[in-house]
Amino acid sequence: MKDGEGMGRKQVWSFILSKLAAAGTLFTVFVIIIIKNKAGLYQISEAARLPYLWWLVYGYAVIYSILTELILFKFFPKAKVGIRMVVYGAGGFAPFAVVIFDPVYIAISGLIGSVCALFFYAADCLYGRTKIMSAAAALCIPAVLLVFAWGDFTETRQWREVWTDSSYEVSFAYFNGEKAVPIPIKKGETALLTYSWTMKNGGYGVRFTDVKQVPGDLPEKNKIRIRVPESGVASLVLTGDHAEGTFRMEWNAE
């Protein structure tokens, strides 16, 4: 009896680990697709932080797979591989049929979802046959993903900052990631900020907290009115995508 129970527990753990391993493999594929040819540690980190990806892969996919296998085991213990593929494919199609209302987009998204679901099923079957690889993938892949999700992988080269009482300027030979820059105005005050980018290469952006946009005279000379909340410190976040250039900001307290 004890041996039987022990074997049962091992089978349950093997069952769960193979699905977690399949989920991690599918998550990794999604990350590769998202970053495409802009591969960098920061881009991987961005992809690993996407909450809907975690929910879709480690939430929906794993739960659906477990319930599917339990139902098939209970009511259709002799179900063939073809039946399982149909059920998994339907599971990949279902979420898009619920949240998308355009028939064309439902068909395209559902087809992609079905392919991903079948990939999950194939990976699950593979890991189910290799317990050591299954356990390693189930534990290591999410651990690595969490390191990327919570880590700071911003890369900069020749990052040079110049501060004055009413301005800030930074130049960089390479900037891939994001940098927070505090704005030296007092809590509760408002300030009018004018900022501009002078870029040679790459993508760039900026975001503020608690702000009100003021249209600028020219697109490259944006003006933002920002109010510092009583509970915190105002800051802006610069983002760069393999960028090279200069960012300058001036502020005038009101």
Side-chain angles (χ1 to χ4, degrees):
M1 178 65 69
K2 291 183 178 180
D3 290 340
E5 292 176 354
M7 181 62 69
R9 286 194 295 269
K10 289 180 181 180
Q11 289 175 344
V12 169
W13 277 111
S14 177
F15 176 77
I16 294 174
L17 289 175
S18 69
K19 298 193 180 304
L20 292 177
T25 303
L26 181 59
F27 199 119
T28 303
V29 171
F30 279 141
V31 169
I32 294 172
I33 293 173
I34 290 171
I35 63 177
K36 295 181 181 178
N37 60 340
K38 295 183 178 180
L41 294 179
Y42 177 73
Q43 278 71 27
I44 296 174
S45 177
E46 274 191 315
R49 286 197 297 266
L50 295 173
Y52 73 85
L53 201 55
W54 284 92
W55 177 88
L56 184 65
V57 176
Y58 278 100
Y60 174 76
V62 171
I63 292 173
Y64 181 88
S65 178
I66 290 175
L67 292 177
T68 295
E69 295 297 338
L70 290 177
I71 291 172
L72 290 175
F73 178 79
K74 178 69 175 179
F75 299 103
F76 307 98
K78 297 182 180 181
K80 303 295 184 181
V81 172
I83 299 297
R84 282 181 158 79
M85 291 178 65
V86 170
V87 176
Y88 272 85
F93 189 93
F96 302 100
V98 173
V99 301
I100 300 176
F101 302 100
D102 188 304
V104 176
Y105 286 106
I106 289 176
I108 296 173
S109 301
L111 178 60
I112 295 173
S114 295
V115 171
C116 293
L118 291 175
F119 177 89
F120 181 100
Y121 172 65
D124 184 23
C125 292
L126 176 64
Y127 284 119
R129 299 176 182 178
T130 55
K131 294 182 179 180
I132 296 178
M133 184 182 296
S134 174
L139 299 175
C140 293
I141 293 179
V144 172
L145 290 171
L146 288 172
V147 169
F148 275 106
W150 291 98
D152 181 6
F153 293 93
T154 295
E155 301 175 73
T156 62
R157 289 198 296 269
Q158 299 178 30
W159 182 272
R160 298 187 178 92
E161 297 178 314
V162 178
W163 289 88
T164 71
D165 292 337
S166 60
S167 68
Y168 167 81
E169 183 172 348
V170 59
S171 62
F172 41 87
Y174 181 79
F175 177 29
N176 188 47
E178 61 181 41
K179 284 279 192 178
V181 179
I183 302 171
I185 57 176
K186 297 178 181 179
K187 294 181 180 179
E189 289 186 344
T190 61
L192 183 64
L193 286 79
T194 303
Y195 68 92
S196 61
W197 295 85
T198 304
M199 302 300 296
K200 297 180 180 179
N201 294 300
Y204 59 92
V206 61
R207 67 176 185 269
F208 299 83
T209 58
D210 201 13
V211 302
K212 180 180 179 180
Q213 178 77 42
V214 178
D217 295 331
L218 297 172
E220 67 270 15
K221 292 185 178 180
N222 297 287
K223 294 181 180 179
I224 298 288
R225 180 169 283 110
I226 183 170
R227 176 176 60 83
V228 181
E230 293 291 345
S231 59
V233 177
S235 64
L236 60 88
V237 178
L238 306 179
T239 61
D241 184 0
H242 304 285
E244 177 185 6
T246 302
F247 172 83
R248 179 175 175 79
M249 173 181 66
E250 297 178 352
W251 58 88
N252 183 25
E254 300 180 335

